[in-house]
Amino acid sequence: MLSPRNLLFKSKISKRKQTKKPKIIKKKQKFESKNQDAVLAKLPQLSGEDEGHDEVAGEADDGNFNLKGSARSHSHGVQPLGNLYFSSSSINSRDTGLGNLQALTDELVLEVLGLLSGTDLGVLSTVSKSFYVFCNHEPLWRNIVLETCKDGFLYKGSWRNTFVSAYRYSSDIVSSGIKVRDFYSDYLFQSWLCANLEMKPEWLERDNIVRKKGLSVEEFVLNFEEPNKPVLLEGCLDNWPATGKWDREYLIEVCGDARFSVGPVEMKLEDYFMYSDQVKEERPLYLFDPKFADKVPQLGLDYEVPEYFNEDLFSVLGNERPDYRWIIIGPAGSGSSFHIDPNSTSAWNAVIRGSKKWVLFPPDVVPPGVLPSPDGAEVACPVSIIEWFMNFYNATKSWKKRPIECVCKAGEVIFVPNGWWHLVFNLEDSVAITQNFVSRRNLLNVLDFLKRPNASTLVSGTRDRVNLHDKFKNAIEASLPGSLDELIQKAEEKKQQQKKLSFWESVTDSNVGAFKFSF
């Protein structure tokens, strides 16, 4: 029998999708392997340091993939479907244990099981080996914990154990890591695979963003903000107290019992670190809190907005402004799938600890594997960031408009212009501050966005989505009289200027380079 630990296989990783409503909703697709290409790896003798660094060859990306050094084989022995062709038995215990339900896809089986409670899942897992594997699928238990433990949880090494511990008040939890022989499922295997793959070096090599240090505000506006281009700024955080103070011990001490937003739950920072230290999953939970400075005022005093972003016109709304700043904390492997920042705002992101891989596409280029709905209300994209890199990253190498990429390290700030698609992946445990803002260069875009017919669906970060446009416009006119009219006039002049043709443009056919005889 071939195990996932000793298999070198070529796979066509399917595009399991997630969809986001300016958040991104995840929708999975079946993982299809090219079974005839599955081959047995010739394993060298491994030393203790080398164990676990297996390689997986991927069809969607040239070359081999490496598993993380801490990666263990699938806890229940699930193998990719291609391994069935090398098994001495032609039986897939996945089918025999499901009975008549074997006709359903793995995805549909899990959709049905997702309707059950934790108790029901536990009972059903005793019916057969197949149900045992399906009912112990970690994302099922993750959903149950997040739905039932709104006040936070104490992670116990797995989501199933976390659920049991929360209701039995006992730290002595029996492991559910029983191995099942001859169980083949691409869908279940891929979730484990994406959680345990390392980033390939070539995914990190491209660094084509413009880097600037000592840039004046005027140069920033002229060369980056007005033309709507990203830039990485160095030296902006040199005077931030946060860069010297924000280690784990300080944050836990200063935050105390304050609870922060982690997905749909609220958690103490100490409990979140307990989770992030243990978790090995495809999409680790991200601490992403917009009210951090209200909950712990000292955090707001430990940093200041870089001078390039001081103009923040949403501030005219006072307490009615949409959410605009967040503290972001996450382990290696966490991050944000492709999205565009809310309300047509621009943003800056400052890394205080760790490092982040960024991939950005301009507003007129939809990233490969990303499918936005016509109204922009939803976005379908691969379930995990690693899955996108495996399936789609190589495709961008041949594009005329290649993405802007960089690794943003501690002490650096990246400017994300409005409308740009971007993906962010934490390469190590990271802490960052990010803020969205509106300046005069972007004000008209934001107002246009807020008055769209489906604004109630698109606008985020505020309870009053429908009336935000009128409130903001009126507040701008009251605080900055005449500024809107001036910006509208300049925009119209710029548009007219672009329409005007020079003499040579008027007498030259721009397509074939020949003179016209119409003058």
Side-chain angles (χ1 to χ4, degrees):
M1 179 180 71
L2 307 184
S3 76
R5 300 290 296 170
N6 62 13
L7 181 68
L8 176 64
F9 71 96
K10 284 197 170 183
S11 61
K12 178 183 178 183
I13 307 271
S14 72
K15 290 79 175 175
R16 298 179 301 156
K17 296 288 183 181
Q18 70 171 347
T19 322
K20 255 187 186 177
K21 175 195 162 213
K23 40 188 187 189
I24 287 180
I25 304 170
K26 294 180 170 140
K27 176 186 174 185
K28 296 187 177 182
Q29 291 181 336
K30 183 180 177 183
F31 166 49
E32 303 170 351
S33 68
K34 291 218 168 174
N35 304 327
Q36 68 272 22
D37 289 335
V39 293
L40 178 62
K42 295 180 179 179
L43 290 179
Q45 293 296 319
L46 299 178
S47 67
E49 293 181 3
D50 292 329
E51 288 183 23
H53 291 274
D54 302 316
E55 292 186 340
V56 181
E59 184 178 273
D61 195 308
D62 297 334
N64 291 332
F65 300 102
N66 291 325
L67 295 180
K68 297 174 182 176
S70 59
R72 299 178 180 179
S73 60
H74 193 286
S75 56
H76 304 304
V78 174
Q79 302 176 58
L81 190 58
N83 283 25
L84 179 60
Y85 285 76
F86 294 91
S87 174
S88 57
S89 170
S90 61
I91 296 175
N92 186 351
S93 61
R94 179 263 185 209
D95 297 335
T96 56
L98 285 179
N100 291 336
L101 293 180
Q102 67 180 274
L104 302 180
T105 64
D106 292 349
E107 183 178 10
L108 189 52
V109 170
L110 291 172
E111 288 287 343
V112 173
L113 296 181
L115 302 174
L116 303 182
S117 67
T119 301
D120 293 335
L121 277 179
V123 172
L124 187 59
S125 69
T126 65
V127 170
S128 69
K129 293 179 180 178
S130 187
F131 273 117
Y132 171 81
V133 174
F134 275 105
C135 290
N136 279 287
H137 188 51
E138 276 288 274
L140 291 175
W141 294 95
R142 166 169 154 153
N143 290 341
I144 291 174
V145 170
L146 296 182
E147 289 171 2
T148 58
C149 302
K150 296 297 185 182
D151 293 329
F153 56 85
L154 295 178
Y155 192 72
K156 298 293 183 179
S158 75
W159 288 107
R160 175 186 175 276
N161 289 353
T162 301
F163 172 80
V164 174
S165 175
Y167 289 94
R168 290 179 56 183
Y169 304 101
S170 170
S171 58
D172 300 324
I173 305 299
V174 178
S175 173
S176 61
I178 299 174
K179 301 289 185 181
V180 176
R181 294 187 61 184
D182 300 326
F183 191 106
Y184 304 98
S185 166
D186 284 341
Y187 190 89
L188 297 182
F189 182 78
Q190 186 178 354
S191 180
W192 171 87
L193 182 65
C194 290
N196 287 283
L197 283 183
E198 288 185 334
M199 290 284 283
K200 296 180 66 174
E202 49 263 49
W203 295 345
L204 304 175
E205 288 174 352
R206 192 186 302 172
D207 190 331
N208 58 351
I209 196 169
V210 176
R211 294 174 175 266
K212 292 291 182 180
K213 186 174 184 178
L215 193 68
S216 70
V217 174
E218 293 73 19
E219 289 174 319
F220 168 75
V221 171
L222 179 64
N223 297 320
F224 299 103
E225 191 177 16
E226 284 189 346
N228 213 41
K229 295 180 179 179
V231 63
L232 192 145
L233 301 166
E234 301 172 345
C236 293
L237 313 187
D238 292 348
N239 297 322
W240 279 22
T243 59
K245 295 164 60 176
W246 281 21
D247 56 22
R248 179 176 295 198
E249 290 72 23
Y250 172 82
L251 290 173
I252 290 176
E253 180 182 356
V254 75
C255 293
D257 292 330
R259 292 180 177 272
F260 297 91
S261 298
V262 179
V265 303
E266 298 280 320
M267 297 182 68
K268 292 194 299 184
L269 193 56
E270 186 173 14
D271 295 341
Y272 176 74
F273 282 135
M274 182 187 300
Y275 157 80
S276 65
D277 285 344
Q278 301 177 65
V279 70
K280 303 292 181 186
E281 60 183 337
E282 190 176 4
R283 293 180 293 113
L285 291 173
Y286 220 3
L287 189 154
F288 203 83
D289 196 292
K291 306 297 182 185
F292 70 96
D294 297 328
K295 297 173 180 178
V296 185
Q298 182 59 47
L299 296 180
L301 298 175
D302 283 345
Y303 82 97
E304 60 184 19
V305 177
E307 60 178 342
Y308 308 105
F309 317 112
N310 277 332
E311 185 176 55
D312 186 4
L313 298 181
F314 259 145
S315 62
V316 300
L317 290 174
N319 293 331
E320 291 188 275
R321 71 172 300 164
D323 293 338
Y324 70 104
R325 60 179 178 175
W326 294 262
I327 187 171
I328 309 173
I329 303 177
S334 60
S336 300
S337 300
F338 275 111
H339 63 283
I340 295 173
D341 278 345
N343 306 329
S344 197
T345 56
S346 298
W348 57 268
N349 185 296
V351 180
I352 298 171
R353 289 283 184 274
S355 57
K356 298 172 180 284
K357 167 70 178 181
W358 285 78
V359 182
L360 305 97
F361 287 86
D364 61 331
V365 179
V366 178
V370 176
L371 303 173
S373 61
D375 63 356
E378 292 187 347
V379 179
C381 68
V383 169
S384 68
I385 297 172
I386 285 290
E387 188 174 340
W388 182 84
F389 274 99
M390 292 173 69
N391 285 297
F392 300 104
Y393 181 78
N394 265 9
T396 66
K397 294 180 179 179
S398 60
W399 285 25
K400 291 183 178 180
K401 289 188 176 181
R402 299 173 71 179
I404 300 295
E405 299 183 44
C406 68
V407 172
C408 191
K409 300 177 181 178
E412 298 177 339
V413 178
I414 187 172
F415 166 62
V416 183
N418 77 88
W420 278 67
W421 292 93
H422 52 283
L423 167 153
V424 190
F425 184 82
N426 287 323
L427 301 175
E428 53 188 314
D429 295 352
S430 298
V431 180
I433 292 289
T434 188
Q435 289 196 188
N436 290 71
F437 68 97
V438 183
S439 69
R440 294 170 197 262
R441 272 70 60 189
N442 191 32
L443 177 58
L444 297 184
N445 287 331
V446 172
L447 287 172
D448 286 343
F449 181 89
L450 297 180
K451 69 178 181 181
R452 289 185 183 182
N454 58 341
S456 61
T457 302
L458 295 177
V459 174
S460 65
T462 179
R463 294 180 179 178
D464 192 1
R465 298 179 177 183
V466 175
N467 299 312
L468 182 60
H469 171 269
D470 292 341
K471 288 182 178 179
F472 186 36
K473 182 178 179 181
N474 293 337
I476 287 291
E477 290 175 338
S479 302
L480 303 168
S483 60
L484 266 181
D485 292 335
E486 181 181 343
L487 289 173
I488 292 173
Q489 182 178 348
K490 286 184 178 179
E492 187 61 31
E493 290 173 354
K494 185 177 180 180
K495 187 182 298 184
Q496 293 300 325
Q497 187 67 29
Q498 291 173 343
K499 289 182 179 179
K500 289 182 179 180
L501 298 176
S502 69
F503 170 76
W504 289 108
E505 288 173 324
S506 67
V507 297
T508 304
D509 188 322
S510 60
N511 292 321
V512 299
F515 283 102
K516 293 179 179 177
F517 294 95
S518 56
F519 60 96

